[in-house]
Every structure is written in C-alpha cells, then in structure tokens.
Short mmCIF file of all heavy atoms in Angstrom, two decimals:
data_model
loop_
_atom_site.label_atom_id
_atom_site.label_comp_id
_atom_site.label_asym_id
_atom_site.label_seq_id
_atom_site.Cartn_x
_atom_site.Cartn_y
_atom_site.Cartn_z
N MET A 77 -78.44 72.62 177.32
CA MET A 77 -78.83 73.98 177.57
C MET A 77 -77.62 74.81 177.88
O MET A 77 -76.69 74.36 178.56
CB MET A 77 -79.80 74.00 178.81
CG MET A 77 -81.19 73.45 178.43
SD MET A 77 -82.34 73.25 179.83
CE MET A 77 -82.46 74.81 180.52
N ARG A 78 -77.64 76.02 177.38
CA ARG A 78 -76.51 76.92 177.70
C ARG A 78 -76.64 77.42 179.13
O ARG A 78 -77.66 77.30 179.76
CB ARG A 78 -76.59 78.12 176.79
CG ARG A 78 -76.46 77.75 175.32
CD ARG A 78 -76.43 79.04 174.50
NE ARG A 78 -77.70 79.71 174.72
CZ ARG A 78 -78.09 80.86 174.06
NH1 ARG A 78 -77.26 81.42 173.29
NH2 ARG A 78 -79.22 81.44 174.37
N ASP A 79 -75.56 77.96 179.60
CA ASP A 79 -75.61 78.61 180.98
C ASP A 79 -76.57 79.75 180.86
O ASP A 79 -76.65 80.47 179.84
CB ASP A 79 -74.21 79.10 181.33
CG ASP A 79 -73.22 78.06 181.70
OD1 ASP A 79 -73.72 76.97 182.04
OD2 ASP A 79 -72.07 78.27 181.59
N LEU A 80 -77.39 79.87 181.82
CA LEU A 80 -78.38 80.89 181.88
C LEU A 80 -77.97 82.17 182.51
O LEU A 80 -77.32 82.11 183.57
CB LEU A 80 -79.64 80.34 182.57
CG LEU A 80 -80.26 79.02 182.06
CD1 LEU A 80 -81.38 78.54 182.93
CD2 LEU A 80 -80.81 79.31 180.58
N ARG A 81 -78.30 83.21 181.95
CA ARG A 81 -78.02 84.57 182.59
C ARG A 81 -78.71 84.66 183.92
O ARG A 81 -78.19 85.34 184.80
CB ARG A 81 -78.46 85.67 181.60
CG ARG A 81 -78.11 87.02 182.05
CD ARG A 81 -78.44 88.08 181.14
NE ARG A 81 -79.87 88.23 181.01
CZ ARG A 81 -80.44 88.76 179.98
NH1 ARG A 81 -79.83 89.24 178.93
NH2 ARG A 81 -81.83 88.83 179.95
N ILE A 82 -79.83 84.04 183.99
CA ILE A 82 -80.71 84.12 185.22
C ILE A 82 -79.78 83.55 186.47
O ILE A 82 -79.96 83.95 187.63
CB ILE A 82 -81.99 83.41 185.16
CG1 ILE A 82 -82.91 83.80 186.30
CG2 ILE A 82 -81.86 81.87 185.09
CD1 ILE A 82 -84.35 83.32 186.08
N ASP A 83 -78.90 82.63 186.15
CA ASP A 83 -78.03 82.10 187.16
C ASP A 83 -77.20 83.12 187.90
O ASP A 83 -76.98 83.09 189.05
CB ASP A 83 -77.17 80.97 186.58
CG ASP A 83 -76.46 80.12 187.64
OD1 ASP A 83 -77.01 80.05 188.73
OD2 ASP A 83 -75.42 79.60 187.36
N LYS A 84 -76.77 84.12 187.15
CA LYS A 84 -75.99 85.24 187.65
C LYS A 84 -76.86 86.35 188.25
O LYS A 84 -76.42 87.06 189.18
CB LYS A 84 -75.12 85.78 186.64
CG LYS A 84 -74.08 84.79 186.10
CD LYS A 84 -73.23 85.35 184.99
CE LYS A 84 -72.18 84.33 184.50
NZ LYS A 84 -72.60 83.71 183.18
N GLU A 85 -78.06 86.47 187.77
CA GLU A 85 -78.94 87.55 188.19
C GLU A 85 -79.77 87.31 189.41
O GLU A 85 -80.07 88.18 190.17
CB GLU A 85 -79.83 87.97 187.05
CG GLU A 85 -79.08 88.57 185.89
CD GLU A 85 -79.94 88.92 184.72
OE1 GLU A 85 -81.17 88.73 184.74
OE2 GLU A 85 -79.49 89.47 183.75
N VAL A 86 -80.05 86.04 189.69
CA VAL A 86 -80.85 85.65 190.83
C VAL A 86 -79.89 85.34 191.99
O VAL A 86 -78.95 84.52 191.81
CB VAL A 86 -81.76 84.50 190.55
CG1 VAL A 86 -82.52 84.08 191.79
CG2 VAL A 86 -82.80 84.80 189.43
N PRO A 87 -80.15 85.84 193.22
CA PRO A 87 -79.23 85.52 194.31
C PRO A 87 -79.08 84.00 194.47
O PRO A 87 -80.04 83.26 194.40
CB PRO A 87 -79.98 86.18 195.50
CG PRO A 87 -80.76 87.28 194.97
CD PRO A 87 -81.19 86.83 193.63
N SER A 88 -77.91 83.63 194.79
CA SER A 88 -77.52 82.26 194.88
C SER A 88 -78.28 81.42 195.93
O SER A 88 -78.35 80.18 195.83
CB SER A 88 -76.03 82.00 195.04
OG SER A 88 -75.65 82.62 196.28
N HIS A 89 -78.82 82.03 196.97
CA HIS A 89 -79.59 81.32 197.97
C HIS A 89 -80.97 80.95 197.64
O HIS A 89 -81.73 80.25 198.27
CB HIS A 89 -79.53 82.09 199.27
CG HIS A 89 -80.40 83.34 199.18
ND1 HIS A 89 -79.82 84.53 198.73
CD2 HIS A 89 -81.58 83.60 199.74
CE1 HIS A 89 -80.77 85.41 198.82
NE2 HIS A 89 -81.89 84.92 199.35
N LEU A 90 -81.41 81.45 196.47
CA LEU A 90 -82.85 81.18 196.00
C LEU A 90 -82.84 80.02 194.94
O LEU A 90 -81.85 79.90 194.15
CB LEU A 90 -83.33 82.49 195.29
CG LEU A 90 -83.61 83.63 196.21
CD1 LEU A 90 -84.05 84.92 195.39
CD2 LEU A 90 -84.55 83.30 197.34
N GLN A 91 -83.88 79.29 195.01
CA GLN A 91 -84.06 78.20 193.93
C GLN A 91 -84.86 78.84 192.82
O GLN A 91 -85.64 79.80 192.94
CB GLN A 91 -84.89 77.18 194.56
CG GLN A 91 -85.01 75.93 193.63
CD GLN A 91 -85.72 74.70 194.41
OE1 GLN A 91 -86.27 74.86 195.42
NE2 GLN A 91 -85.61 73.56 193.77
N VAL A 92 -84.58 78.36 191.63
CA VAL A 92 -85.15 78.87 190.42
C VAL A 92 -86.00 77.82 189.75
O VAL A 92 -85.45 76.70 189.47
CB VAL A 92 -84.09 79.41 189.38
CG1 VAL A 92 -84.70 79.87 188.11
CG2 VAL A 92 -83.19 80.43 190.02
N HIS A 93 -87.27 78.11 189.51
CA HIS A 93 -88.15 77.15 188.77
C HIS A 93 -88.24 77.61 187.31
O HIS A 93 -88.66 78.73 187.02
CB HIS A 93 -89.53 77.18 189.43
CG HIS A 93 -89.44 76.58 190.83
ND1 HIS A 93 -89.84 75.29 191.12
CD2 HIS A 93 -88.99 77.16 191.98
CE1 HIS A 93 -89.65 75.08 192.38
NE2 HIS A 93 -89.16 76.16 193.00
N LEU A 94 -87.92 76.75 186.37
CA LEU A 94 -88.06 77.04 184.97
C LEU A 94 -89.22 76.36 184.42
O LEU A 94 -89.38 75.07 184.60
CB LEU A 94 -86.76 76.63 184.24
CG LEU A 94 -85.46 77.29 184.68
CD1 LEU A 94 -84.28 76.63 183.98
CD2 LEU A 94 -85.48 78.75 184.45
N ILE A 95 -90.05 77.02 183.73
CA ILE A 95 -91.28 76.39 183.14
C ILE A 95 -91.04 76.15 181.68
O ILE A 95 -90.62 77.02 180.96
CB ILE A 95 -92.53 77.31 183.29
CG1 ILE A 95 -92.77 77.55 184.76
CG2 ILE A 95 -93.69 76.72 182.62
CD1 ILE A 95 -93.73 78.68 185.05
N VAL A 96 -91.02 74.87 181.28
CA VAL A 96 -90.76 74.44 179.93
C VAL A 96 -92.02 73.76 179.36
O VAL A 96 -92.94 73.30 180.10
CB VAL A 96 -89.55 73.43 179.86
CG1 VAL A 96 -88.36 74.17 180.28
CG2 VAL A 96 -89.85 72.19 180.63
N ASP A 97 -92.19 73.82 177.98
CA ASP A 97 -93.34 73.17 177.38
C ASP A 97 -93.16 71.67 177.53
O ASP A 97 -92.02 71.11 177.88
CB ASP A 97 -93.53 73.62 175.98
CG ASP A 97 -92.42 73.18 175.03
OD1 ASP A 97 -91.52 72.43 175.44
OD2 ASP A 97 -92.44 73.73 173.93
N ASN A 98 -94.17 70.88 177.22
CA ASN A 98 -94.17 69.47 177.33
C ASN A 98 -93.78 68.85 175.99
O ASN A 98 -94.24 67.75 175.69
CB ASN A 98 -95.54 69.04 177.83
CG ASN A 98 -95.44 67.72 178.54
OD1 ASN A 98 -94.33 67.06 178.56
ND2 ASN A 98 -96.52 67.23 179.11
N TYR A 99 -93.07 69.52 175.14
CA TYR A 99 -92.73 69.04 173.82
C TYR A 99 -91.58 68.06 174.00
O TYR A 99 -90.88 67.96 175.02
CB TYR A 99 -92.14 70.24 172.99
CG TYR A 99 -92.08 70.03 171.55
CD1 TYR A 99 -93.23 69.69 170.77
CD2 TYR A 99 -90.81 69.95 170.85
CE1 TYR A 99 -93.17 69.43 169.40
CE2 TYR A 99 -90.73 69.68 169.54
CZ TYR A 99 -91.87 69.43 168.76
OH TYR A 99 -91.76 69.16 167.47
N GLY A 100 -91.41 67.12 173.03
CA GLY A 100 -90.42 66.00 173.11
C GLY A 100 -89.01 66.43 173.36
O GLY A 100 -88.31 65.70 174.02
N THR A 101 -88.57 67.60 172.87
CA THR A 101 -87.17 68.04 173.07
C THR A 101 -86.92 68.26 174.48
O THR A 101 -85.72 68.22 174.90
CB THR A 101 -86.91 69.30 172.22
OG1 THR A 101 -87.85 70.29 172.60
CG2 THR A 101 -86.98 68.97 170.68
N CYS A 102 -87.94 68.53 175.24
CA CYS A 102 -87.63 68.85 176.75
C CYS A 102 -87.55 67.51 177.52
O CYS A 102 -87.31 67.56 178.72
CB CYS A 102 -88.85 69.68 177.28
SG CYS A 102 -88.86 71.32 176.62
N LYS A 103 -87.63 66.41 176.76
CA LYS A 103 -87.54 65.13 177.54
C LYS A 103 -86.32 64.34 177.07
O LYS A 103 -86.17 63.21 177.40
CB LYS A 103 -88.86 64.28 177.21
CG LYS A 103 -90.13 64.93 177.62
CD LYS A 103 -91.32 64.20 177.26
CE LYS A 103 -92.54 64.93 177.72
NZ LYS A 103 -93.76 64.30 177.28
N THR A 104 -85.41 64.97 176.36
CA THR A 104 -84.18 64.31 175.88
C THR A 104 -83.34 64.05 177.08
O THR A 104 -83.34 64.82 178.13
CB THR A 104 -83.41 65.17 174.87
OG1 THR A 104 -83.10 66.40 175.43
CG2 THR A 104 -84.32 65.43 173.67
N PRO A 105 -82.37 63.12 177.03
CA PRO A 105 -81.45 62.87 178.10
C PRO A 105 -80.61 64.07 178.58
O PRO A 105 -80.36 64.26 179.73
CB PRO A 105 -80.57 61.77 177.47
CG PRO A 105 -81.35 61.01 176.48
CD PRO A 105 -82.28 62.14 175.88
N ALA A 106 -80.17 64.86 177.60
CA ALA A 106 -79.34 66.04 177.87
C ALA A 106 -80.19 67.02 178.73
O ALA A 106 -79.70 67.58 179.75
CB ALA A 106 -78.90 66.72 176.61
N ILE A 107 -81.46 67.22 178.40
CA ILE A 107 -82.29 68.20 179.14
C ILE A 107 -82.61 67.61 180.54
O ILE A 107 -82.58 68.38 181.54
CB ILE A 107 -83.58 68.52 178.36
CG1 ILE A 107 -83.22 69.25 177.04
CG2 ILE A 107 -84.51 69.37 179.22
CD1 ILE A 107 -82.51 70.54 177.19
N LYS A 108 -82.86 66.29 180.58
CA LYS A 108 -83.20 65.69 181.89
C LYS A 108 -81.97 65.66 182.80
O LYS A 108 -82.12 65.76 183.96
CB LYS A 108 -83.70 64.27 181.69
CG LYS A 108 -85.07 64.20 181.09
CD LYS A 108 -85.55 62.80 181.03
CE LYS A 108 -87.04 62.65 180.56
NZ LYS A 108 -87.49 61.30 180.59
N ALA A 109 -80.72 65.60 182.29
CA ALA A 109 -79.54 65.53 183.09
C ALA A 109 -79.11 66.95 183.55
O ALA A 109 -78.43 67.01 184.54
CB ALA A 109 -78.43 64.91 182.32
N TRP A 110 -79.53 67.97 182.84
CA TRP A 110 -79.09 69.36 183.22
C TRP A 110 -79.37 69.74 184.65
O TRP A 110 -78.54 70.26 185.32
CB TRP A 110 -79.68 70.31 182.22
CG TRP A 110 -79.09 71.70 182.27
CD1 TRP A 110 -77.93 72.13 181.72
CD2 TRP A 110 -79.56 72.78 183.03
NE1 TRP A 110 -77.71 73.44 182.05
CE2 TRP A 110 -78.75 73.84 182.87
CE3 TRP A 110 -80.66 72.97 183.87
CZ2 TRP A 110 -78.91 75.08 183.42
CZ3 TRP A 110 -80.90 74.23 184.56
CH2 TRP A 110 -79.99 75.25 184.27
N PRO A 111 -80.65 69.48 185.07
CA PRO A 111 -80.95 69.86 186.55
C PRO A 111 -80.05 69.16 187.59
O PRO A 111 -79.80 69.71 188.64
CB PRO A 111 -82.38 69.54 186.72
CG PRO A 111 -82.97 69.55 185.32
CD PRO A 111 -81.89 69.03 184.42
N ALA A 112 -79.59 68.00 187.27
CA ALA A 112 -78.71 67.33 188.19
C ALA A 112 -77.38 67.99 188.42
O ALA A 112 -76.85 68.04 189.51
CB ALA A 112 -78.52 65.85 187.69
N ALA A 113 -76.98 68.62 187.29
CA ALA A 113 -75.72 69.39 187.39
C ALA A 113 -75.91 70.82 187.92
O ALA A 113 -74.94 71.57 188.22
CB ALA A 113 -75.06 69.44 186.02
N HIS A 114 -77.17 71.25 188.02
CA HIS A 114 -77.54 72.49 188.47
C HIS A 114 -78.61 72.42 189.48
O HIS A 114 -79.79 72.69 189.25
CB HIS A 114 -77.95 73.43 187.27
CG HIS A 114 -76.99 73.56 186.20
ND1 HIS A 114 -76.82 72.65 185.25
CD2 HIS A 114 -76.02 74.49 185.96
CE1 HIS A 114 -75.85 73.00 184.43
NE2 HIS A 114 -75.34 74.12 184.86
N PRO A 115 -78.32 72.10 190.75
CA PRO A 115 -79.30 71.67 191.71
C PRO A 115 -80.29 72.76 192.16
O PRO A 115 -81.32 72.58 192.61
CB PRO A 115 -78.50 71.18 192.90
CG PRO A 115 -77.10 71.71 192.67
CD PRO A 115 -76.95 71.89 191.22
N ARG A 116 -79.94 74.04 191.97
CA ARG A 116 -80.87 75.13 192.42
C ARG A 116 -81.91 75.37 191.35
O ARG A 116 -82.90 76.06 191.58
CB ARG A 116 -80.17 76.38 192.75
CG ARG A 116 -79.70 77.25 191.60
CD ARG A 116 -78.90 78.45 192.24
NE ARG A 116 -78.82 79.51 191.25
CZ ARG A 116 -79.30 80.76 191.44
NH1 ARG A 116 -79.84 81.00 192.62
NH2 ARG A 116 -79.15 81.61 190.59
N PHE A 117 -81.89 74.74 190.16
CA PHE A 117 -82.85 74.80 189.14
C PHE A 117 -83.80 73.74 189.17
O PHE A 117 -83.45 72.52 189.23
CB PHE A 117 -82.21 74.96 187.78
CG PHE A 117 -81.49 76.32 187.54
CD1 PHE A 117 -80.14 76.42 187.92
CD2 PHE A 117 -82.15 77.35 187.09
CE1 PHE A 117 -79.52 77.66 187.71
CE2 PHE A 117 -81.53 78.59 186.78
CZ PHE A 117 -80.17 78.70 187.20
N GLU A 118 -85.08 73.98 189.08
CA GLU A 118 -86.09 73.01 189.02
C GLU A 118 -86.95 73.17 187.69
O GLU A 118 -87.43 74.26 187.39
CB GLU A 118 -87.08 73.15 190.16
CG GLU A 118 -88.14 72.14 190.26
CD GLU A 118 -87.70 70.83 190.80
OE1 GLU A 118 -86.76 70.77 191.63
OE2 GLU A 118 -88.25 69.81 190.45
N LEU A 119 -86.94 72.18 186.86
CA LEU A 119 -87.75 72.22 185.59
C LEU A 119 -89.15 71.84 185.87
O LEU A 119 -89.45 70.76 186.50
CB LEU A 119 -87.07 71.31 184.55
CG LEU A 119 -85.72 71.69 184.07
CD1 LEU A 119 -85.31 70.77 182.92
CD2 LEU A 119 -85.64 73.08 183.60
N ARG A 120 -90.07 72.61 185.42
CA ARG A 120 -91.52 72.39 185.55
C ARG A 120 -92.03 72.27 184.13
O ARG A 120 -91.87 73.23 183.31
CB ARG A 120 -92.19 73.48 186.31
CG ARG A 120 -91.73 73.63 187.69
CD ARG A 120 -92.05 72.49 188.61
NE ARG A 120 -91.64 72.81 189.96
CZ ARG A 120 -91.86 71.95 190.90
NH1 ARG A 120 -92.41 70.81 190.67
NH2 ARG A 120 -91.37 72.23 192.08
N SER A 121 -92.85 71.31 183.80
CA SER A 121 -93.46 71.12 182.52
C SER A 121 -94.90 71.58 182.51
O SER A 121 -95.59 71.44 183.48
CB SER A 121 -93.44 69.72 182.00
OG SER A 121 -92.08 69.19 181.86
N THR A 122 -95.29 72.16 181.37
CA THR A 122 -96.71 72.53 181.31
C THR A 122 -97.49 71.23 181.03
O THR A 122 -97.04 70.31 180.48
CB THR A 122 -96.97 73.45 180.03
OG1 THR A 122 -96.44 72.81 178.90
CG2 THR A 122 -96.25 74.76 180.26
N PRO A 123 -98.77 71.25 181.46
CA PRO A 123 -99.61 70.14 181.24
C PRO A 123 -99.86 69.86 179.69
O PRO A 123 -99.82 70.82 178.95
CB PRO A 123 -100.91 70.40 181.90
CG PRO A 123 -100.60 71.43 182.86
CD PRO A 123 -99.47 72.23 182.24
N ILE A 124 -99.91 68.59 179.29
CA ILE A 124 -100.14 68.31 177.98
C ILE A 124 -101.34 69.03 177.37
O ILE A 124 -101.33 69.47 176.22
CB ILE A 124 -100.26 66.78 177.69
CG1 ILE A 124 -98.91 66.12 178.08
CG2 ILE A 124 -100.63 66.44 176.26
CD1 ILE A 124 -98.93 64.60 178.11
N SER A 125 -102.40 69.15 178.10
CA SER A 125 -103.66 69.67 177.62
C SER A 125 -103.64 71.20 177.65
O SER A 125 -104.66 71.94 177.25
CB SER A 125 -104.85 69.19 178.45
OG SER A 125 -104.58 69.57 179.82
N SER A 126 -102.62 71.90 178.09
CA SER A 126 -102.61 73.40 178.21
C SER A 126 -102.43 73.94 176.81
O SER A 126 -101.83 73.43 175.98
CB SER A 126 -101.63 73.93 179.18
OG SER A 126 -100.37 73.65 178.67
N ARG A 127 -102.96 75.15 176.61
CA ARG A 127 -102.78 75.88 175.41
C ARG A 127 -102.12 77.28 175.70
O ARG A 127 -102.53 77.92 176.69
CB ARG A 127 -104.15 76.15 174.75
CG ARG A 127 -104.82 74.99 174.24
CD ARG A 127 -106.16 75.16 173.72
NE ARG A 127 -106.27 76.39 172.90
CZ ARG A 127 -107.36 76.80 172.35
NH1 ARG A 127 -108.41 76.10 172.48
NH2 ARG A 127 -107.40 77.92 171.67
N VAL A 128 -101.16 77.66 174.86
CA VAL A 128 -100.54 78.91 174.95
C VAL A 128 -101.18 79.82 173.96
O VAL A 128 -101.39 79.48 172.79
CB VAL A 128 -99.02 78.81 174.75
CG1 VAL A 128 -98.39 80.19 174.75
CG2 VAL A 128 -98.37 77.83 175.69
N ARG A 129 -101.64 81.00 174.40
CA ARG A 129 -102.32 81.94 173.49
C ARG A 129 -101.48 83.11 173.20
O ARG A 129 -100.73 83.63 173.99
CB ARG A 129 -103.66 82.40 174.04
CG ARG A 129 -104.57 81.20 174.19
CD ARG A 129 -105.86 81.57 174.78
NE ARG A 129 -106.55 80.38 175.01
CZ ARG A 129 -107.87 80.33 175.12
NH1 ARG A 129 -108.55 81.42 175.00
NH2 ARG A 129 -108.51 79.19 175.40
#
C-alpha cells in the first residue's frame, strides 16, 4: 500500500480504522504486514456475506 494522505490529514494522536473488502488481495502478506509498520492504522474487513450497493 502506498503512503496514505490520511496519515498527514488526521491528527497523529488519533487511531485510524480502514475498512477494506474481504477480497483475496486484502489477505496478501504485504497487506497483512502493512499495519505492523503503521501502528496507528487498523484494518477492518467487511463480512463475507455483506453486499455493497
């Protein structure tokens, strides 16, 4: 993942929750490792059964 503009726009004392789909690309080692390097970001996945309209 690229550096996010939100990292600069949200005050540094706040935690940021990113909602990602439950698609296979969001489960790759690179995506799973990214939050470890960016501790104030929390990745949240949508449920498998959810639908986006």
Side-chain angles (χ1 to χ4, degrees):
M77 289 172 56
R78 296 182 301 180
D79 287 336
L80 301 175
R81 185 175 68 200
I82 196 169
D83 192 25
K84 295 178 180 102
E85 293 178 357
V86 175
S88 61
H89 68 279
L90 296 175
Q91 188 173 13
V92 179
H93 294 258
L94 301 173
I95 301 170
V96 297
D97 65 12
N98 207 354
Y99 196 65
T101 55
C102 293
K103 298 176 184 174
T104 63
I107 299 298
K108 287 184 173 184
W110 191 85
H114 301 85
R116 79 184 199 121
F117 289 89
E118 182 78 32
L119 295 184
R120 302 288 183 182
S121 297
T122 58
I124 294 172
S125 62
S126 69
R127 292 176 41 179
V128 177
R129 296 178 189 202

